[in-house]
Amino acid sequence: MGTSKQKWRISFHKSPSKHPPIPIEFVCPISGSLMADPVIVSSGHTFERHCVHACKSLSFTPVLPDGSVPDFSTVIPNLALKSTILNFCRSSLLDPPKPINFLTAENLVFTLKATQNLAKDTAGFNGVRFIQSETELNRVPSHISTSSEESVTPRSGPTCYSSSPASDVDTLNPNSIEEDELLVKLKSSHISEQEEAVISFRKLTRTREETRFQLCTPRILSALRVLITSRYVSVQVNSVAALVNLSLENRNKVKILRSGIVPSLIDVLKSGFQEAQEHVAGALFSLALDDQNKTAIGVLGALPPLLHALRSESERTRHDSALALYHLSLVQSNRAKLVKLGAVQALLGMVKTGHMMGRILLILCNLAASSEGRAAMLDGGAVECFVCMLRKGEFDSESTRENCLAALYGLSHGGLRFKGLAKEAAAEELLIQVEEMGSERTKDKVRKILEVLRQKDEEEEEADWEKLLNSDDDISQARISSS
């Protein structure tokens, strides 16, 4: 790393037959082995599960080869990566990896920790540098400097723990001259050189797709992580814009998230320069397009500032934040978080005022697909709101009308509670009118809602709608009082 010309090497088991090289993303940075049970931690990094538990058990925090420091406070399964690794093993005729047991992981981490006592200023196993105490950890800034004085120079061909008796050494592609030259300027102590570098980098990645892929490296991302939080407006704005360009390449999306750069983006969205916030909203929207990133972005804390950004003075920030929330709310864990954050009332309020109605309705459609979101929307008056919108017919497009009907259809899975509210709002009569004059897609959605409203069963036939509605109101009041 830094200015060193030594190459980083990873060793792992290979069978006698020729197999494609194992992607570095499939290898745990701590154990050096192919991951069997990968998990994402709060910083966005992925490790073997028991390696994380062992580090937490020993109060041990590694500093990774790219200079980033993982945050182990939250651990969630990386099911998408696990599936990808298993598919890779099948297609490569490799045996699927077996999870490391906790005792083995603890012994490994303990050994790695002990090596630092012998060489505090050099890299340990797998080229990882370590922080020994909580006091020292607290002194590490959120964006680790990667200047040549502080960077880690991994040993050539380090020994890695593997379940196989023998291992070979694979060398990653050497750093390009273009990357080295760019890094020198990005890491310069002179603001003018930093500014020149990020502007040049932004231009390079604006249209050249292959350049986006080639220059999306751990070293470049580590340097950008520092510059994104710069107090100089031009440096901050152009570094975030350059990251947006990198994120446009699909192959880069997961790599960017795992670099640990998302927390810095969130900081800028909370308190950065307005133009930089516009680019951050675009970056989070772009990263959220990849299914592997959706859960992790929510875990890292992006949902509250994205909700706040819906009220931004910048139209670009508002719209990209709404799109980011739409894609993030496709995941159940993020839907539950949004409900807890009180997003339903805020979003319904925006719909009622006509604020970004089409995009907000898309988010509400996703929330209506979950039991928590449905309950919060029914309690929040969503049925009356949507029926009122359909009655007024003040939609900016036919697609917005369809989104309103889709959200209403999502709520129709709310059982008797929905039917009672729909009956109170005279929804059936209105929907019949909408069906007669709508498009084929609109008619299809209306038919589905009417089918739900017209379904009869013994429980419904004996239901006292007024009593049911009043009892639900009493329950809602009781919840408010107890909270």
Side-chain angles (χ1 to χ4, degrees), residues 175-189:
N175 301 319
S176 67
I177 296 176
E178 188 177 19
E179 178 188 358
D180 289 338
E181 291 177 348
L182 179 61
L183 275 170
V184 170
K185 292 183 179 179
L186 290 174
K187 295 181 178 181
S188 172
S189 58

Side-chain angles (χ1 to χ4, degrees), residues 418-434:
F418 168 78
K419 291 183 180 181
L421 291 169
K423 184 178 179 69
E424 188 179 59
E428 185 170 353
E429 297 83 349
L430 174 65
L431 289 171
I432 292 172
Q433 297 174 15
V434 173

Side-chain angles (χ1 to χ4, degrees), residues 178-220:
E178 188 177 19
E179 178 188 358
D180 289 338
E181 291 177 348
L182 179 61
L183 275 170
V184 170
K185 292 183 179 179
L186 290 174
K187 295 181 178 181
S188 172
S189 58
H190 300 289
I191 302 303
S192 59
E193 291 187 4
Q194 291 179 6
E195 183 179 6
E196 179 186 348
V198 291
I199 291 174
S200 174
F201 187 35
R202 180 180 180 181
K203 290 179 180 178
L204 276 174
T205 54
R206 182 172 293 156
T207 57
R208 292 166 55 182
E209 295 181 8
E210 195 56 33
T211 299
R212 293 174 190 159
F213 178 67
Q214 292 173 349
L215 292 182
C216 188
T217 67
R219 296 196 304 163
I220 293 289

Side-chain angles (χ1 to χ4, degrees), residues 60 107-130 132 155 159 161:
F60 183 65
N107 289 337
L108 168 62
V109 172
F110 183 81
T111 302
L112 294 175
K113 188 175 182 180
T115 60
Q116 190 176 19
N117 294 329
L118 299 177
K120 291 184 179 179
D121 299 323
T122 60
F125 289 95
N126 296 323
V128 179
R129 185 161 51 98
F130 307 102
Q132 285 185 307
R155 298 184 301 178
T159 303
Y161 285 79

Side-chain angles (χ1 to χ4, degrees), residues 283-295:
L284 292 174
F285 163 39
S286 178
L287 294 175
L289 292 174
D290 194 293
D291 290 342
Q292 296 184 64
N293 289 348
K294 289 179 172 61
T295 300

Side-chain angles (χ1 to χ4, degrees), residues 31-53:
S31 72
S33 300
L34 193 63
M35 288 183 281
D37 188 10
V39 294
I40 298 176
V41 298
S42 298
S43 54
H45 298 92
T46 298
F47 301 91
E48 182 72 30
R49 181 186 295 274
H50 281 156
C51 288
V52 173
H53 292 328

